[in-house]
């Protein structure tokens, strides 16, 4: 079995690559940070004796995505699972103050990047007569919160695209699922706040957030249902979080 996981250099993607590898899957891991990919490839090969293909590209760039994925040898095109995970939030600003570069980054990564990868891998799955695509959405794709405007819009787009993809790929026997997490402590907030680790830590202050492993296990569960079962959508939250704006924090 083969899983292609975008954004496998950190957080959910890395934990997912590890979990699938530990279950004997071969994995295609992608991201921009080449050294991290190489280290992960070595670790997975040594620890689990599986095969790993590393593809280093910027998912915002259609030509880079195309070049990398079209370089994939035939035996690797039998992808059973595509996890569209690469994504980010950049900044947390009102609509009147937001930076255009942040907006472009989020739209290009979370929406266009997901589309670029899907546009190439879905035809492989159609040719193989089977496949499963799991999109990583967010609670931000179900609700909108103050200053989350464009990030929330990109995740609402992932929500809509998941539903659309499910319809289009139905005749081809390809399952399409979404997992929409609430607060999870990864590099996500450090990226959102441009490397400000102190500010990032405050996001999770006084509560126990989800971990990357929680999400990897959810992805595993969704991917390992019997062939006649599709999990359309899962919203997964820390027990201390009720919705985007309501969390119970200990002082
Ligand atoms: P991390 O920041 O820990 O990981 C993000 C991953 O995405 C990295 O591997 C990064 O790789 C990759 N990525 C980002 N931009 C690009 C790019 N331009 N090209 C290629 N790869 C890219 O965050 P998470 O693991 O938390 O996030 C994973 C997904 O989950 C995202 O879609 C995020 O929106 C979503 N999510 C996160 C939540 C959270 O609270 N953490 C909650 C809900 C959803 P590299 O930098 O090496 O390119
Ligand atoms: C990440 C969760 O609440 O920061 O998608 O938008 S949130």
């Amino acid at each position: 079995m083969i899983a292609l996981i975008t954004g496998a250099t950190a957080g959910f993607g890395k934990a997912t690559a590890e979990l699938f590898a530990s279950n004997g899957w071969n994995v295609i891991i992608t991201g921009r940070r080449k050294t991290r990919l190489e280290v992960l490839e070595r670790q997975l090969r040594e620890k689990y004796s599986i095969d790993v293909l590393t593809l280093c590209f910027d998912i915002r760039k259609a030509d880079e995505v195309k070049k990398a994925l079209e370089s994939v040898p035939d035996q690797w095109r039998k992808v059973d699972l595509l996890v569209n995970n690469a994504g980010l939030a950049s900044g947390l600003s009102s609509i009147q103050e937001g930076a255009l570069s942040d907006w472009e980054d989020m739209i290009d990564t979370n929406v266009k990047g997901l589309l670029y990868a899907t546009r190439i891998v879905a035809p492989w799955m159609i040719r193989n007569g089977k496949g499963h695509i799991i999109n990583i959405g967010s609670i931000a794709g179900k609700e909108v919160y103050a200053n989350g405007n464009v990030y929330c819009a990109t995740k609402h787009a992932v929500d809509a695209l998941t539903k659309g993809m499910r319809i289009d790929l139905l005749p081809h026997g390809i399952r399409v699922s979404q997992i929409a997490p609430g607060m999870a402590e990864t590099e996500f907030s450090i990226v959102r706040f441009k490397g400000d680790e102190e500010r990032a830590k405050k996001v999770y202050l006084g509560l126990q957030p989800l971990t990357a492993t929680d999400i990897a296990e959810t992805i595993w569960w969704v991917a390992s249902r019997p062939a006649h079962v599709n999990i359309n959508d899962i919203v997964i939250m820390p027990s201390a979080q009720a919705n985007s704006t309501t969390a119970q924090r200990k002082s």
Side-chain angles (χ1 to χ4, degrees):
M1 300 287 273
I2 300 174
L4 193 170
I5 301 154
T6 67
T9 58
F12 301 166
K14 182 165 183 272
T16 302
E18 282 164 350
L19 184 57
F20 278 72
S22 75
N23 281 285
W25 284 50
N26 298 320
V27 290
I28 305 176
I29 51 174
T30 86
R32 288 166 300 179
R33 287 170 285 182
K34 196 161 188 275
T35 308
R36 285 197 185 201
L37 288 172
E38 287 167 353
V39 170
L40 182 60
E41 171 172 348
R42 206 164 43 243
Q43 284 171 349
L44 297 180
R45 281 181 186 279
E46 280 168 12
K47 199 161 172 200
Y48 303 113
S49 304
I50 51 124
D51 219 352
V52 182
L53 182 69
T54 285
L55 298 174
C56 187
F57 60 82
D58 185 334
I59 207 157
R60 293 171 298 184
K61 301 193 173 135
D63 53 341
E64 275 192 33
V65 180
K66 193 162 184 269
K67 195 169 161 212
L69 291 177
E70 284 184 349
S71 77
V72 167
D74 273 354
Q75 72 269 24
W76 282 102
R77 295 187 184 207
K78 306 243 176 300
V79 167
D80 297 283
L81 174 68
L82 167 64
V83 184
N84 277 319
N85 165 73
L88 83 169
S90 193
L92 186 68
S93 298
S94 65
I95 205 72
Q96 63 275 23
E97 289 170 337
L100 292 189
S101 57
D102 283 341
W103 295 356
E104 275 154 11
D105 218 7
M106 290 186 278
I107 293 166
D108 288 354
T109 310
N110 302 353
V111 183
K112 290 164 77 178
L114 179 148
L115 288 170
Y116 297 153
T118 304
R119 181 63 184 83
I120 293 172
V121 177
W124 296 353
M125 291 179 167
I126 291 171
R127 221 167 300 133
N128 298 337
K130 65 184 168 78
H132 193 168
I133 300 175
I134 300 181
N135 293 331
I136 305 303
S138 170
I139 187 63
K142 308 285 182 183
E143 303 169 24
V144 178
Y145 52 86
N147 300 323
N149 42 63
V150 176
Y151 179 67
C152 295
T154 66
K155 290 299 183 178
H156 275 71
V158 173
D159 192 63
L161 284 169
T162 303
K163 292 172 189 157
M165 286 162 63
R166 190 179 303 122
I167 298 167
D168 296 347
L169 295 172
L170 184 71
H172 303 284
I174 294 162
R175 297 186 281 179
V176 181
S177 308
Q178 174 177 246
I179 297 171
M183 272 188 266
E185 192 164 10
T186 58
E187 293 181 2
F188 176 83
S189 290
I190 300 170
V191 171
R192 170 170 249 173
F193 299 126
K194 322 270 164 86
D196 184 342
E197 298 199 15
E198 285 314 304
R199 191 171 174 201
K201 266 194 210 123
K202 286 188 189 140
V203 173
Y204 313 106
L205 212 61
L207 59 76
Q208 186 174 352
L210 297 169
T211 64
T213 303
D214 294 325
I215 302 309
E217 285 173 352
T218 308
I219 294 170
W220 173 257
W221 185 77
V222 169
S224 58
R225 292 310 84 214
H228 70 287
V229 177
N230 184 54
I231 306 299
N232 283 5
D233 199 1
I234 290 183
V235 179
I236 171 170
M237 308 287 280
S239 302
Q241 185 183 13
N243 61 24
S244 266
T245 50
T246 316
Q248 187 67 31
R249 296 179 196 267
K250 293 195 184 89
S251 49

